[in-house]
Amino acid sequence: MKFVDEATIYVRAGKGGNGALSFWREKFVAKGGPDGGDGGDGGSVMLVADESLNTLIDFRFTKKYIAENGQGGQGRDMTGSKAPDLEIKVPVGTTVIDEDTGETLGDLVQIGQCLKVAQGGHKGLGNTRFKSSTNRAPRQTTKGTVGEERNLKLEMKVLADVGLLGLPNAGKSTFIRSVSSAKPKVADYPFTTLVPNLGVVKVKKHQSFVIADIPGIIEGAAEGAGLGIRFLKHLVRNRILLHIVDMAPWDDVTPAQAAQIAVNELHEFSPALAEKRERWLVLNKLDMVPESEREERCQSVIDALNWEGKTYRISAISGEGTEVLCLDLMTALDEKRELLAEDDNARAEERAIRELIDEEGRDRIRLLRKNRRNGSDDDDFDEDDYDVDVEYVR
């Protein structure tokens, strides 16, 4: 099946039922009076976050979702039935955007969270409603209103506290296997990771965090090369980024060059993501570097990046240094959670940063797709061609 993290759908809420025009007619009753009932409200369209979903693939096949109309009113003061709301299940971590206005309608980040995206039409009134002392036989009714309709863009972003950034074969998948129960594919060639992988890291009893591994980015990723550009947006929700650098590269690229390439592509994709999101430097595969060369290689990376932040030296395959790194991550994440829980300004700043990163990422992907369309010689250009085919092994 395909891992699909974007989709566009059309939704329309149901129309409200019309009010009834009716008069009570019964044998031996001369003046029964009006008895037209109201109509029923139309069904609204709701999006519901469901933990059993991890892709938007279903929305590539079903693109229209229309709720039922409310039932019309009837005589004998019978009100029409209200139409049920149409509930559409989406993965947890889905952002909902109005395609026509660009407005972000909401983020579904908790299991079971609901978001109303189209309001159902209101019911019409029957003629009973217009009865008065001066109008004994009203013939006025109202029609039900039409429901809202929208074109929606759905963007799924994986929910994780920590995100892994780096070039292919930097050891990101090995790291997530080492510190969690996740088992992403690992091999001695690049691009073994084709879709984001999540792992839960248990540090202490009742203390854990979620880490996300995305496909590696290569030079030119911001212009469409490789897979990383499609998945960089998944780093938006991460509170800390781990920039993992391969200290024993398999090709002619030095560790310092590899580190600089990843940072440059991150800046090209979203300056806000590169500058405003906390990032730690993780120097990996040191067990494969001769001890006499380790310090020199590590310092070359630090100098190339003018790095002044936190730096960790690890070997993901042996686990060396990973325990200290995970403990420090847990401490930092706890501090961030406490700050966001207590400080309104911090929460507002976090929302603003996230929205800015979202917007910059969308602009970059939108430009990339536009250039692909304009530069493609293929008349049958289809964005589905850029989805990733994956096989899920249970």
Side-chain angles (χ1 to χ4, degrees), residues 373-385:
R373 288 192 189 94
N374 295 340
S376 176
D377 296 329
D378 184 1
D379 294 334
D380 297 325
F381 176 88
D382 187 353
E383 288 187 6
D384 286 1
D385 294 340

Side-chain angles (χ1 to χ4, degrees), residues 53-342:
L53 302 177
N54 55 14
T55 175
L56 297 173
I57 183 66
D58 292 341
F59 298 103
R60 286 292 175 92
F61 304 107
T62 305
K63 291 182 173 288
K64 290 187 177 181
Y65 296 85
I66 301 175
E68 295 180 19
N69 297 330
Q71 187 179 24
Q74 300 179 43
R76 296 180 179 258
D77 290 320
M78 288 192 291
T79 300
S81 299
K82 179 185 183 299
D85 292 335
L86 175 60
E87 294 189 352
I88 305 172
K89 295 180 179 181
V90 297
V92 179
T94 299
T95 300
V96 185
I97 304 163
D98 189 309
E99 182 79 358
D100 299 319
T101 65
E103 176 189 3
T104 298
L105 302 180
D107 269 339
L108 298 170
V109 295
Q110 296 178 353
I111 297 172
Q113 183 179 352
C114 295
L115 176 66
K116 183 185 291 186
V117 293
Q119 173 65 51
H122 295 296
K123 64 184 179 183
L125 302 179
N127 64 333
T128 304
R129 295 277 194 164
F130 298 93
K131 180 176 63 175
S132 69
S133 60
T134 58
N135 187 4
R136 302 291 184 86
R139 293 185 175 274
Q140 298 101 317
T141 62
T142 60
K143 294 183 177 181
T145 60
V146 297
E148 289 183 323
E149 57 181 343
R150 293 181 188 268
N151 291 303
L152 300 178
K153 182 177 182 181
L154 307 180
E155 293 182 352
M156 192 195 80
K157 303 181 184 73
V158 297
L159 295 176
D161 303 298
V162 178
L164 304 184
L165 171 72
L167 268 61
N169 227 37
K172 301 186 299 299
S173 296
T174 303
F175 176 75
I176 202 172
R177 288 173 67 101
S178 175
V179 300
S180 75
S181 298
K183 300 299 179 187
K185 183 178 180 181
V186 173
D188 58 353
Y189 54 85
F191 296 113
T192 52
T193 301
L194 298 179
V195 296
N197 293 298
L198 296 179
V200 178
V201 181
K202 295 182 179 179
V203 178
K204 296 179 181 179
K205 189 176 182 180
H206 306 308
Q207 278 192 309
S208 63
F209 61 87
V210 179
I211 193 166
D213 171 26
I214 67 168
I217 59 176
I218 63 175
E219 188 169 11
E223 303 302 325
L227 296 173
I229 183 67
R230 290 192 59 244
F231 298 107
L232 280 173
K233 61 176 176 289
H234 292 285
L235 301 178
V236 171
R237 302 188 192 278
N238 304 152
R239 291 187 174 141
I240 298 176
L241 302 182
L242 295 185
H243 180 183
I244 297 184
V245 181
D246 182 358
M247 301 305 293
W250 54 274
D251 54 11
D252 295 331
V253 178
T254 67
Q257 291 172 332
Q260 193 62 57
I261 288 171
V263 172
N264 291 343
E265 296 304 324
L266 192 63
H267 271 277
E268 285 292 322
F269 177 76
S270 168
L273 179 59
E275 297 168 6
K276 297 183 181 295
R277 189 60 76 203
E278 184 174 355
R279 192 164 78 250
W280 296 1
L281 183 63
V282 179
L283 308 178
N284 189 27
K285 300 186 184 180
L286 285 175
D287 58 316
M288 300 175 63
V289 179
E291 192 169 349
S292 60
E293 299 179 15
R294 289 182 186 177
E295 186 58 36
E296 181 182 354
R297 289 198 190 186
C298 292
Q299 193 59 45
S300 68
V301 174
I302 294 172
D303 293 341
L305 298 178
N306 294 319
W307 189 255
E308 297 179 353
K310 293 186 177 182
T311 305
Y312 293 84
R313 306 180 184 194
I314 71 167
S315 170
I317 196 166
S318 68
E320 179 184 351
T322 59
E323 183 177 356
V324 173
L325 173 56
C326 290
L327 286 171
D328 289 352
L329 283 170
M330 190 75 259
T331 300
L333 290 170
D334 285 342
E335 292 174 354
K336 286 179 177 291
R337 291 189 187 105
E338 291 177 6
L339 177 63
L340 292 174
E342 299 172 358

